[in-house]
Amino acid sequence: MALCLLPLFEKPYLMMDLVEYWQQVRPIDRLTGEPISTTQVFELVKATLLTLEDFDCMILEKLSSHL
């Protein structure tokens, strides 16, 4: 899972950019051998980032949408 966080050492990324990066690096679920869905990756990355934030290892920013 730490592999998906490597790009964050270079610059900030949007959540969906990290999800896309993860799907490029690990497109197959190791347990099932099936392609991993975007929803699965999103939840996995979200859980990892929130855990790191809880331990003060990372600061997450929320984007505000201006319409």
Side-chain angles (χ1 to χ4, degrees):
M1 188 63 221
L3 183 62
C4 85
L5 304 177
L6 284 177
L8 294 174
F9 285 103
E10 297 172 15
K11 65 179 186 175
Y13 279 84
L14 296 174
M15 178 71 167
M16 290 312 295
D17 292 335
L18 291 174
V19 169
E20 288 175 16
Y21 177 76
W22 178 258
Q23 285 186 302
Q24 290 174 1
V25 175
R26 299 265 192 236
I28 304 297
D29 185 325
R30 291 181 177 186
L31 295 176
T32 65
E34 299 291 323
I36 191 164
S37 73
T38 302
T39 304
Q40 287 174 302
V41 175
F42 183 89
E43 292 301 321
L44 184 60
V45 172
K46 181 176 87 172
T48 302
L49 292 175
L50 289 174
T51 300
L52 290 171
E53 184 181 43
D54 286 343
F55 288 105
D56 295 327
C57 296
M58 183 170 292
I59 298 172
L60 302 178
E61 294 181 27
K62 294 182 182 179
L63 291 179
S64 61
S65 59
H66 296 114
L67 299 176

